[in-house]
Amino acid sequence: VAYLWLAIQYGMSMLICGGTASGKTTTLNAMALFIQQDMKVVSIEETRELNLPHPNWIPGLTREGFGGEARR
């Protein structure tokens, strides 16, 4: 945890990935407490699960809809 804290403090980029029920969301929620308010956070998810209390958070999705056509 100390390593991740230092990485966040010094502005290192991170990629959190893994299989179903591997703890990705829990890890990100715990790490979000260490992110400074002036840092930018970008998340890209297949299904929107994160809800980070951060003013500079940019959430993204990997797809807009099913069947080859985006919802309007």
Side-chain angles (χ1 to χ4, degrees):
V1 173
Y3 175 77
L4 295 176
W5 180 12
L6 287 171
I8 292 169
Q9 184 177 355
Y10 288 102
M12 304 302 295
S13 296
M14 294 185 189
L15 180 65
I16 310 279
C17 57
T20 305
S22 62
K24 299 176 299 288
T25 304
T26 304
T27 301
L28 285 170
N29 285 329
M31 289 173 45
L33 299 173
F34 298 109
I35 300 173
Q36 297 173 12
Q37 296 297 314
D38 60 339
M39 291 183 168
K40 183 189 290 186
V41 178
V42 178
S43 67
I44 302 173
E45 304 175 81
E46 187 172 341
T47 338
R48 185 94 182 267
E49 295 177 344
L50 289 177
N51 190 10
L52 301 179
H54 201 278
N56 296 321
W57 175 42
I58 301 172
L61 293 173
T62 57
R63 60 179 173 209
E64 297 278 331
F66 294 98
E69 207 173 305
R71 292 183 184 178
R72 298 184 192 265

